[in-house]
Structures are given as C-alpha cells and as structure tokens.
Amino acid sequence: MKEYALENIRNISLLSHSGAGKTSLAEAVLFNAKAINRLGKVDEGSSTSDYDPDEVKRRISINLSVLPCEWKDTKINLLDTPGYADFVGEVKAALRVSESAIILVDASSGVEVGTEQSWEYCEDEKLARMLVLSKMDRENADFEKTVADIQARFGNKCLPLQVPIGAHTSFKGVIDLMTRKASTGSPEQETDIPAEMEAQVDSLREKLVEAIAEVDDSLIEKYLGGEPLTDEELSVNLHKAIARGSLVPILVSASLQSAGINWLLDAMVTYLPSPAEREVPAEKEALEADASAPLAALVFKTSADPYVGKLTYFRVYRGVLESNSQVWNAQREAAERIGQLYMLRGKSQETVAKVGAGDIGAVAKLGVTETGDTLCQQDKPVRLKPIEFPKPIFSLAVFPRTKADVDKLGPALTRLTEEDPTLRVHRETDTSETILTGIGETQVEVAAEKMARKFGVSVDLLTPKVPYKETITTTSKAEYKHRKQTGGHGQYGHVMLALEPLPRGTGNEFGEKVVGGSVPKNYIPAVEKGVNEGFHEGILAHFPVVDVKAILYDGSFHPVDSSEICFKIAGAQAFKKGLSEGQPILLEPIMNLKITIPNDLTGDVIGDLNTKRARVMGMNPAGDWNEVEAQAPLAEVQRYAIDLKSMTQGRGSYKMEFSHYEPVPANITQKIVSQKQAEVKAEKA
C-alpha cells in the first residue's frame, strides 16, 4: 500500500448496536474497494474483521479491528468495533484515534440502546458522523419509520442523503440525493430515478440543500434569492457541515447485496474530515497535525499473542515513525526500540518502511510500552491525551483448575490486563481469592476462555466471597493463664487484657498499662504478637477483627518457666476470650452506587434497590435521565451489572466504589455463621 498525505487519509470508527451489521458492512466495503478478493460472512466465521476464535464461536465482534482500504486516491482506515456493551473499551480506543464515525442503524429494528450509546460516545469525542441504515433487504425494513425514529431521538439535523428503492424483497437499489442518480443491480449500475419516486426525491433534496446552505451566510443568501447552488458548493459545504456536527447525513445499504457500498465509499472520501482538519489532543495544549513536525504517536491497543508476543497498535498524529528506529516513551520516560512496522488488515500483516502522520500501524515486541502511552522524540517530548476507559464494575473470583495452572495464572492475567485496560486483577487478602474485574459477565467469561486458548491456563469463575469483618460492641476484660508442667522447665504465661471497641474505620490498636513489672517489659512484644495474630481471625465466623483496642493491664510470670512463646500464646487466648465476651458482631462492606437511568425506569430501579437492603441517598434529574445515588451492601450488588442490564434493557449504567463497613443484621449474621461453620467442617472432612 502506498503512502498517503494527511489530507488523503480517513480514520473512521464503525459503531452500532450489537447485530446491526457493522462487520458485514466492513466486509462489503473491503470487497468493493478490492482490498479483499472474496466476500467473507460473519455466520461462516470467514469475515476479515472477526477472525479471533472467540468471535467466530460467539458470532459477535469482541476486538477492535483495523481494516484499511483505498478508494479514489484516499486511504480509509475503518475501525470495526464491538457492538456488545461489555467490550466498550475497544470502542473508546477506536474513537480516540478517529476523526469521524459511521453509526449503523438496523432498518428493521430502528434506533436501539447501542445506537443511542454510540451517538453519546461521538458527542463526548465531538466526532463528525454519518448514519447508515443497514439491512434494507431484510424483512420489516422501513426507511421512513427509521428516519423518523432517528430524528425523534437525535434531532432534525439528521437528514437523508440517500433513499432506498423499495425494501425487503422489493429492495432494488439506492438513490443519491446529491447527484440525483439511482444505483441498482449487482454489480451496481447507475440509472435514472424511477418516475414514481421523483416527487419524494425532490422533497428530501430540498430539505438537504436548505440545511447545507445554512452553513454559509453567503450561500444562504444565494439560496433564498432563488439562485441555484452548484454541485461543488453543495459538496464543499456538506463536508463543512458534517465536520462541524451541524448536519448528520443518513445513507442506506444492504451489505449482502453490496447495495449502496460504492456511494458510501464516495461519501467517506468526500464528506468526512481528514486528520489535517482536527487538532492533535495533547495533555498540555492542542497541537497541529503536521507530517514534518517531531514525532507524536499514541498507542491505542495492545494484543498479546503467545507466539508472536506483544503486538502494539498505534496512530501517528504528527511526524513519521520508521521501522528499525528508536523512540522515546513519554509516560514511562524510557527509550523504546522499534523493529519492523506493519499495516494490519484484520489478522493479516503487511510490512512497511514507515507510518506517516494521520495513519495507523502496528509493531511487535515492544519492551515498556502499554496502551495509552505516547511515542515521541526524546529531545522533543510530548504527551498526548490518554484514552479514558470506563472503570470495571463486575467481579468474579478466578480459581486455577490444576496445580500446573496455579503457576501460569499470574503471568496469564498480567498479559490479559495489558491487552484490555478495562480488565483489572487484584488479590483479596481477607478471602484469599484472586479477583478479575471487568465491564460485564460476558467480558470476564471471554477473558477466561482466552486464558485457556492463548496461555494454556484453565480456570473456574465464581462469585467472589464477601470480605466480612468482625468487631466487638462493648468493653470486655479477659484473663488467660498458659501453664504446662512436663518435667524439667515448664511453661508459664499469665495475661490480663481489656478490649475496647473503636470508632468504625479506625483500625486496631494495642497498648499496655502494666504496673509494677507484673509482666516484664521484654515479654510485652510477645503479648502484642499474640494479640495481632488474634486480629486475623474472629470467633463468629473466622473473619478478620477490626476496630478493637487491646490493652494489657496485668498478668504474672515465673522466673524460670516463662518465655516469649508462653506470653504470645497467653495473649492470643486472652484476646479470643475477650472477643467472645465483648458482644461480637459481623461487619459487611457497604458500597456507594451512582446509577444513571432513563426517567421512566427510575421507579423500577428504586424498587429493586429496596429489595437489596439499599438506602437511596438522593436523585439528580438531568433531562431524560436520572442519576440515583444509593448505598448498598456488597453482598447484595455483586451481580448488579446483570440485574441493571436486565431491568433497563441495557440503557442503565452505574459506578460503584467502597464506602465503609456496617453491622450485618442479626438474621443474616446467623446464615453467614452457619454457612462458614459448614465450610470449615467440609474442609476438615
């Protein structure tokens, strides 16, 4: 593939609700642009984009794919993204390195949850966009109804640029309102507009021309004066309107028939902005896109392969990145050796000598570089604005199936989190579990399958245990005398402790008020060690003890039989005795929830929260949406990602973070204690 100037590159994200046909459209675009010589199909697992075994198995896109092609002296980098909400991290990465987006809308289903989310993502990134009505040849496809649905949701700036000829079984082709030409047949042939559609075409074209004219003051004067606008004026100003976001054209297609694909390619080249038209988003100040300026490239994706190693995807914003060179990683403040560069198309790789400004490429086996890092020149360092990934909220505990899997688990999880920044791993010390957290259940399950396939690590996924704690509610005193006589030197340690509850969240403390040397100073650290061991395990259900102050106030010793180990044992046993007399209770973690939902679903969500022992702290209405703030026990909301998706048909979202610990209700405490006792009994058996 030849090199292209900034003005002749288009970086375009493909977005939609899951199943709207992004991958099929991308395949048709590649085929019509002659980038591939065979039209693959999603159902057969033969598409260029969905090549990963998990994607073939599930028949959904899971990973972001870069799909370059050439059309009319312009390079188009299509970034095919997953439509499934669990893989939103891939969408965010694609949007960050694109100047525009194409949002597909299934002509038979209309605007869906994923369509609305895609629109919001584009709004956040201030991206130019086009809407494409897909599957016009499918049953129940309805152009006018879908356009009305789009305009009702996103406003009247969404206007048809094309019109279908028929629908479903009578679908014959596409009419372009700008050229006033029809395209029918396979392969497509340009023809005149059917006579029965001329009135509809004239009406829609008039609305489009009026919207284009409003972009430029001189143009609107000319239009209102009754002077005809030239094709060039319309084309140039439609480009401006789309780039500014003041107009969003609606196109139509039927990918399996390749209908409307050539005109879609024309529209990408003619109307969507190039990298030269958008500032480079740097951390300190926006920079100009310039091929002759010092290097600035952003790493937007990392792929871990057990055979090739790490494959790093990058977008060059300015300057040129060359094969077999050395660059500076601004985030890590370290030099990085660049080997052979590649242009990717799905899983195929084409070696290139360099990747210029505005273009996308890949390189293998980088040492320190991770997703979100900036590659630049050491003498001209710059940090590009990083990608803002959503925080993971759904957790499952990971258990290796065999002893061999135990040793490989750590490295495999590290590679997974390198590959997907929306996955996090941590060790929960209180429950001794390894916790994998992602956006949703499907993402975490796919990650587990990937571990088995890529790294040979088989794991089971279970709901994590809740890290309960134990504490006391009243002051208590306890005494323990450790005494043994077995011939020769005996064992003797006598400890008297006072236990006091501390305010929630204070932690544990140890103090001493020994008077008169009843416990020698050299044995006091041993008592403290025994008490600290007691903090690790309570007496109700063997959970860690928190918010307790233990004070050593008296005791006795034997000049011959006493030792550090005796006082350590006495300290631990006295502490245990003191806990049982201090009216112990269980504490559970309470989480802060911020739930964003459509107004009409607020009642359902609050009703559900009430069944989860939650407290609603407040509500903040914002237009058609409502943000509900609540606190709920972790035990009740571990699978809230699934519950909320079900209640809101995927429209709701939430953030969750730890707040504090609170006492567990007595009836629930009994269940937890009984369950824990049964577990301990089973382990001993």
Side-chain angles (χ1 to χ4, degrees), residues 128-296:
R129 71 211 76 151
M130 299 195 301
L131 293 162
V132 175
L133 305 195
S134 62
K135 304 184 180 180
M136 281 305 308
D137 53 345
R138 295 290 179 89
E139 192 175 351
N140 299 322
D142 190 324
F143 173 75
E144 290 180 1
K145 183 183 175 185
T146 307
V147 169
D149 194 7
I150 287 169
Q151 291 175 340
R153 303 287 182 98
F154 309 132
N156 290 327
K157 67 178 181 180
C158 302
L159 289 171
L161 181 65
Q162 296 172 352
V163 184
I165 304 171
H168 186 29
T169 52
S170 63
F171 176 74
K172 295 185 178 65
V174 177
I175 298 169
D176 186 80
L177 299 180
M178 291 288 280
T179 60
R180 288 183 54 85
K181 287 286 184 183
S183 172
T184 58
S186 182
E188 292 180 288
Q189 300 286 327
E190 271 198 18
T191 62
D192 293 330
I193 298 170
E196 67 274 12
M197 294 189 68
E198 283 190 357
Q200 181 191 11
V201 168
D202 288 342
S203 172
L204 290 173
R205 178 180 161 83
E206 192 63 29
K207 289 178 184 176
L208 180 65
V209 170
E210 185 178 337
I212 295 170
E214 288 174 359
V215 176
D216 188 284
D217 289 342
S218 60
L219 213 63
I220 193 70
E221 283 179 25
K222 190 175 176 182
Y223 173 76
L224 293 173
E227 204 176 328
L229 305 181
T230 66
D231 290 346
E232 188 177 351
E233 285 174 327
L234 288 172
S235 181
V236 167
N237 283 281
L238 177 55
H239 177 99
K240 285 181 186 175
I242 293 170
R244 290 177 191 172
S246 57
L247 200 155
V248 179
I250 301 172
L251 295 83
V252 295
S253 72
S255 300
L256 298 182
Q257 293 186 23
S258 280
I261 302 301
N262 286 356
W263 276 345
L264 174 59
L265 281 159
D266 286 344
M268 292 180 196
V269 170
T270 309
Y271 305 129
L272 293 180
S274 73
E277 297 172 70
R278 194 171 165 91
E279 288 183 323
V280 178
E283 276 190 358
K284 292 183 179 177
E285 57 181 346
L287 308 170
E288 289 296 320
D290 186 352
S292 60
L295 174 68

Side-chain angles (χ1 to χ4, degrees), residues 649-678:
Q649 292 79 50
R651 284 186 163 82
S653 63
Y654 74 102
K655 295 176 183 175
M656 182 167 71
E657 60 183 20
F658 171 75
S659 175
H660 62 281
Y661 271 85
E662 278 185 12
V664 178
N667 61 322
I668 297 174
T669 296
Q670 290 173 357
K671 290 180 186 175
I672 295 167
V673 171
S674 300
Q675 187 179 343
K676 191 72 174 179
Q677 287 172 346

